Amino acid sequence: MSEPIAVIVRFDGDPDDLSERFERARRLWIEAQDGDYSRPLFYAACKRREHPRGGPRARQTETGIVVVTVWETEAAHNAFLHRLRPHLDAVGMAMPDRLEHLPIGQLGWD
């Protein structure tokens, strides 16, 4: 039996533009599945921005978006990722700049 997997996807660039484009690609993907697909157990799309003030985050200069998903199986994630490519192309997005797959040892707070 396959373990749940967390996937962290990073796209570099303008966070507002990337967020809007990724959401359009995600919606196109959902529509193309015709209701027959596995949803992630968790989904969050986060924006990375430069921090204009000092402090520990002042060194963060990368911008873009980070998409975090948790899938019941790696196969479910792979089905999403491979079918997402034409929709990323349709909205003018390249494939991610970085992609991490992390096996989940504990899912949930309790």
Side-chain angles (χ1 to χ4, degrees), residues 43 66 83 104:
Y43 169 79
V66 178
R83 293 182 197 149
I104 296 176

Side-chain angles (χ1 to χ4, degrees), residues 7 9 11 22 29 38 69 71 74-88 94-96 98-101:
V7 180
V9 182
F11 293 91
F22 188 82
W29 180 86
S38 296
T69 54
W71 298 88
E74 188 160 2
H77 168 260
N78 288 337
F80 168 73
L81 184 62
H82 294 297
R83 293 182 197 149
L84 182 63
R85 177 61 191 247
H87 306 295
L88 289 174
M95 287 301 284
R98 286 175 299 291
L99 182 68
E100 296 178 62
H101 290 210

Side-chain angles (χ1 to χ4, degrees), residues 1-37:
M1 180 183 206
S2 185
E3 296 178 337
I5 186 166
V7 180
I8 302 170
V9 182
R10 298 175 188 271
F11 293 91
D12 296 335
D14 177 85
D16 293 324
D17 179 56
L18 289 168
S19 291
E20 187 271 326
R21 287 175 190 257
F22 188 82
E23 181 59 19
R24 284 189 3 234
R26 187 180 74 86
R27 290 281 174 199
L28 288 170
W29 180 86
I30 290 169
E31 291 169 11
Q33 304 317 301
D34 206 22
D36 183 29
Y37 67 96

Side-chain angles (χ1 to χ4, degrees), residues 43-86:
Y43 169 79
C46 312
K47 294 180 182 181
R48 294 184 302 162
R49 302 182 186 277
E50 289 187 44
H51 292 276
R53 290 183 262 163
R57 293 191 225 173
R59 288 180 235 123
Q60 179 182 334
T61 57
E62 294 181 14
T63 59
I65 62 171
V66 178
V67 177
V68 181
T69 54
V70 172
W71 298 88
E72 193 169 341
T73 65
E74 188 160 2
H77 168 260
N78 288 337
F80 168 73
L81 184 62
H82 294 297
R83 293 182 197 149
L84 182 63
R85 177 61 191 247

